[in-house]
Amino acid sequence: MARDWEAVVAELVRVRGASLLRYATLVSGRRDEAPDLVQDALVKTFGRLRNGFTVENAEPYVRRAIMTLWLDRARRSTRWRAIAPLEYRPDEQPSPAGGVDARLDLHRELERLSPRERACLVLRYYDDLKVDDIATTLGISAGTVKRYLSDGLAKMAIALADDGTAEDRTGTAPRPARNGARRREGDRRGRV
């Protein structure tokens, strides 16, 4: 019994295979999809092991299956195109040009600091040393290191905020200098 439908499929492909491929190409508009459509249509048509088919009466069923399969694929594709932009995640990374500008600004501001302030900031934020380790490395007290860190950060924040770049880079406004930093600055100028 199974041999009957297998013979019909083999005969249909031999006799009408080229015609089915042309039909699938016309329906889909793509030559590369036509063989898949024909194969899927044959499986769909003969997958239930239907007996009683002949080559003549099986061909309309296969053609209808080709059309149905193509329309289903087109509907899925249309639905996907409608939601695909919602799921889109660009592979492109933002240009590093902004990062380069930020690094150049930071380098420029580091150059404006005193040597001790710059050394403390580099050791703290680049070498990731703790205050006590910085004090040991530079041979100064921990309190002096804290003062240099505070003063250096305040100077950089003010300088970067002046041209509007600090807020652009961090998304937040820089913190104002603490009262203690202003008081020390006033002491150095001879004001009390």
Side-chain angles (χ1 to χ4, degrees):
M1 205 179 253
R3 293 285 172 210
D4 292 340
W5 71 267
E6 288 176 354
V8 171
V9 171
E11 184 69 15
L12 179 64
V13 170
R14 187 180 65 73
V15 174
R16 301 297 297 161
S19 174
L20 291 172
L21 279 173
R22 283 192 301 273
Y23 181 73
T25 302
L26 285 172
V27 167
S28 68
R30 298 186 55 168
R31 184 173 282 165
D32 57 330
E33 287 188 27
D36 291 337
L37 275 173
V38 171
Q39 181 176 351
D40 291 346
L42 288 169
V43 168
K44 187 174 181 180
T45 303
F46 290 97
R48 298 188 189 112
L49 302 178
R50 296 182 185 187
N51 290 322
F53 275 128
T54 63
V55 171
E56 292 78 28
N57 67 7
E59 186 177 0
Y61 283 101
V62 174
R63 285 178 182 257
R64 179 176 289 217
I66 289 171
M67 181 63 74
T68 303
L69 287 167
W70 172 250
L71 291 174
D72 288 346
R73 288 180 188 178
R75 269 191 291 270
R76 277 194 302 273
S77 175
T78 301
R79 286 184 194 140
W80 175 246
R81 278 193 304 255
I83 65 168
L86 303 175
E87 296 294 318
Y88 174 70
R89 303 281 189 274
D91 292 337
E92 299 174 5
Q93 297 297 321
S95 170
V100 171
D101 291 341
R103 281 194 301 275
L104 290 174
D105 289 345
L106 288 174
H107 283 286
R108 192 175 317 113
E109 294 308 319
L110 278 171
E111 289 172 0
R112 292 180 181 163
L113 298 176
S114 73
R116 291 277 181 152
E117 289 170 340
R118 185 171 54 246
C120 288
L121 285 173
V122 168
L123 289 171
R124 176 67 182 107
Y125 295 104
Y126 187 77
D127 287 343
D128 201 26
L129 294 180
K130 295 184 174 154
V131 171
D132 293 335
D133 297 332
I134 297 170
T136 303
T137 302
L138 296 178
I140 56 178
S141 71
T144 305
V145 170
K146 290 178 185 178
R147 188 189 78 218
Y148 284 138
L149 287 172
S150 176
D151 290 350
L153 287 174
K155 287 177 184 177
M156 289 183 65
I158 290 169
L160 291 173
D162 284 346
D163 63 359
T165 56
E167 190 169 327
D168 294 342
R169 272 190 230 102
T170 61
T172 60
R175 292 187 326 203
R178 296 188 317 236
N179 288 338
R182 275 189 259 140
R183 194 175 312 124
R184 280 192 300 273
E185 208 172 282
D187 292 342
R188 276 187 242 130
R189 291 187 194 139
R191 293 186 221 142
V192 181

